[in-house]
Amino acid sequence: MPARYTFGGDEHLFIEVSDEMSLDAFFKSLSMATGVRESRISGVTEICPANASFQVKFNPDIIKPDDILKEVKAIEAAAEKAEPVLKTRIVEIPVFYGDPWTHETLMRFRERHQEPSGTDLDYAAKINGYPDVEGFIAAHAGSPWFVSMVGFVAGLPFMYQMVERQRQIEVPKYLRPRTDTPRLTVGHGGCFGCIYSVRGAGGYQMFGITPMPIFDSSQTTSYLRDFMVFFRPGDIVKFNPITREAYDAAVEAVDKGTFTPPIREVTFDLREFQKDIDGYNSKLEDVLHGH
């Protein structure tokens, strides 16, 4: 399906690859955004990728709207023929599911929730057909997730679960947003997972918390000294359930500058993934653990 193009004011072109998220749409969107960047079109000042779309900011004094449209449409034609292969990285993120901090927060905002009598994990397990929270956590952590977009607030990753559509976890957002969410909360809304990079308002269901900072404007965190934002579109994330003891140890390691997230370089091939999703995911996990 061809992309949909709309102008925003005098200096923005919005390109919508699909009105629903899929890895195919994400790959085409990322390929087009990369193509625009590499083409170095005169007058383009910024490119902002999203889940299945992207926006181009341009200077209309340098390039006319009709000309930028023509340039990007030519890049779309090239993207249609591009190989759906991405050189990226896979990273393991420790998660303390059902932690006391998100639990305290969700209890403060129960009147804004669909089912005030339980927790966010209880609700997510129930509506996704899992018999208990343990089964739900196993499904959440059992398959990798694709980072399809980084933003909304600085460094926040939106993540898309790498399983068949019918197996994807889906949970609606709170009926009314909270005014508080702990920093580094692992959340979920609709079909997207996320990690709250900073403390603040939010409406996603809260499943747990990670000890691993993913945004540091001071750039004092050991692995964020070169760049304050950890994630980038195309990253593959594998959640690792941890205990309270492991969480405390990781927080201490972060403070001492000795925490290093497990990261491996990997080449992701969308066609091979779609042939055998579980088998491909298993191979990705083998790469992560050095097998």
Side-chain angles (χ1 to χ4, degrees):
M1 135 179 188
R4 186 161 52 202
Y5 295 82
T6 51
F7 284 102
D10 296 329
E11 52 184 27
H12 293 95
L13 176 62
F14 180 64
I15 302 94
E16 188 176 22
V17 170
S18 174
D19 58 5
E20 65 176 32
M21 175 58 191
S22 69
L23 287 181
D24 294 273
F26 166 76
F27 263 76
K28 180 178 175 181
S29 174
L30 185 65
S31 178
M32 288 182 67
T34 301
V36 172
R37 183 175 292 108
E38 291 177 349
S39 296
R40 300 188 179 277
I41 302 166
S42 180
V44 169
T45 58
E46 195 172 347
I47 303 158
C48 182
N51 295 311
S53 61
F54 66 102
Q55 185 163 278
V56 177
K57 185 177 183 182
F58 62 95
N59 183 340
D61 292 332
I62 297 174
I63 186 167
K64 294 177 182 176
D66 286 349
D67 291 335
I68 185 74
L69 181 62
K70 190 184 302 180
E71 294 270 13
V72 178
K73 281 188 172 180
I75 288 167
E76 179 186 6
E80 294 280 9
K81 301 170 188 170
E83 299 286 311
V85 175
L86 178 67
K87 287 188 182 301
T88 185
R89 58 187 188 162
I90 182 167
V91 56
E92 185 173 88
I93 304 293
V95 182
F96 180 19
Y97 288 92
D99 66 280
W101 305 284
T102 59
H103 182 81
E104 183 276 330
T105 304
L106 65 88
M107 294 309 292
R108 271 194 284 135
F109 293 96
R110 280 342 264 166
E111 83 285 355
R112 303 183 185 211
H113 197 273
Q114 291 87 346
E115 291 200 2
S117 59
T119 67
D120 293 7
L121 279 168
D122 292 331
Y123 177 62
K126 176 184 172 183
I127 66 168
N128 282 279
Y130 292 95
D132 51 36
V133 166
E134 289 73 22
F136 175 79
I137 291 172
H140 188 267
S143 59
W145 299 69
F146 226 99
V147 175
S148 56
M149 172 181 162
V150 179
F152 186 69
V153 296
L156 184 150
F158 286 85
M159 295 173 285
Y160 187 75
Q161 195 177 21
M162 294 166 60
V163 293
E164 298 88 347
R165 181 65 64 92
Q166 64 269 23
R167 287 168 56 199
Q168 283 182 343
I169 290 168
E170 292 197 20
V171 194
K173 294 190 287 187
Y174 274 43
L175 297 175
R176 287 188 295 129
R178 301 175 303 275
T179 55
D180 190 23
T181 308
R183 172 176 168 263
L184 299 179
T185 290
V186 175
H188 198 96
C191 72
F192 288 107
C194 82
I195 301 173
Y196 284 77
S197 53
V198 296
R199 183 178 181 179
Y204 278 25
Q205 307 286 334
M206 296 182 288
F207 297 160
I209 201 161
T210 177
M212 178 185 154
I214 59 170
F215 170 72
D216 180 5
S217 58
S218 69
Q219 294 182 239
T220 54
T221 304
S222 59
Y223 53 88
L224 295 175
R225 284 183 185 137
D226 292 334
F227 192 56
M228 66 181 69
V229 172
F230 179 76
F231 286 110
R232 51 199 187 217
D235 279 348
I236 298 171
V237 172
K238 186 69 168 59
F239 294 122
N240 176 34
I242 61 172
T243 63
R244 173 64 190 265
E245 290 74 24
Y247 174 86
D248 290 342
V251 168
E252 185 178 353
V254 168
D255 290 343
K256 289 179 177 177
T258 58
F259 182 88
T260 304
I263 302 172
R264 296 286 185 274
E265 300 296 318
V266 67
T267 299
F268 180 83
D269 188 319
L270 180 62
R271 293 162 304 186
E272 293 301 313
F273 168 79
Q274 290 171 333
K275 286 179 190 173
D276 177 13
I277 291 176
D278 288 340
Y280 199 89
N281 285 344
S282 180
K283 289 177 184 176
L284 287 172
E285 194 162 353
D286 285 344
V287 170
L288 179 61
H289 296 132
H291 297 161

